């Protein structure tokens, strides 16, 4: 098993996701975090399961929600950088 650490930006992403879904339904919030936990457990057990996409960052997509967990493996440590919506475009 690998150790998982979150960067500050990932915590902010989770807070924004929770805030958005809580305006719709607390049941959806619960469903999101249940699926998020399952995907995170999969990353913890088999981090190499997902391919590298950019700058050694891997993306594990959630099954029912349009989000991807962006992470990097360094030895026995998995660092979660962001949890991003797969359909959202950011202005640069």
């Amino acid at each position: 098993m690998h150790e998982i650490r979150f960067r500050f930006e990932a915590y902010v992403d989770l807070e924004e996701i929770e805030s958005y879904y809580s305006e719709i339904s607390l049941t959806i919030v619960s469903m999101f975090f249940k699926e998020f936990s399952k995907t995170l457990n999969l990353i913890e057990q088999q981090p190499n399961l997902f391919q590298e996409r950019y700058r050694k960052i891997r993306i594990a997509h959630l099954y029912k929600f349009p989000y991807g967990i962006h992470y990097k493996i360094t030895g026995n440590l998995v660092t979660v950088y962001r949890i991003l919506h797969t359909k959202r475009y950011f202005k640069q």
Side-chain angles (χ1 to χ4, degrees):
M1 293 253 269
H2 290 74
E3 179 183 354
I4 295 184
R5 291 192 186 157
F6 288 81
R7 299 217 18 174
F8 176 76
E9 296 84 357
Y11 285 117
V12 171
D13 293 336
L14 286 173
E15 287 175 1
E16 289 177 0
I17 293 166
E18 181 178 22
S19 175
Y20 173 76
Y21 283 129
S22 66
E23 291 181 13
I24 299 168
S25 165
L26 293 179
T27 303
I28 294 176
V29 173
S30 176
M31 290 170 56
F32 171 82
F33 279 103
K34 186 175 182 179
E35 184 174 342
F36 177 78
S37 294
K38 284 182 181 180
T39 306
L40 204 59
N41 286 337
L42 184 59
I43 293 169
E44 185 178 34
Q45 294 172 11
Q46 299 178 352
N48 291 308
L49 185 62
F50 303 95
Q51 73 181 38
E52 288 183 10
R53 294 301 192 97
Y54 62 95
R55 292 185 240 143
K56 301 203 182 244
I57 298 284
R58 298 170 186 264
I59 304 172
H61 294 281
L62 277 66
Y63 181 69
K64 295 179 184 174
F65 291 87
Y67 287 91
I69 302 171
H70 296 238
Y71 68 96
K72 186 184 283 188
I73 305 167
T74 309
N76 216 23
L77 175 67
V78 173
T79 304
V80 176
Y81 284 83
R82 303 292 305 264
I83 297 92
L84 297 176
H85 194 285
T86 57
K87 305 289 185 198
R88 183 182 291 173
Y89 297 98
F90 292 98
K91 294 181 182 179
Q92 296 183 6

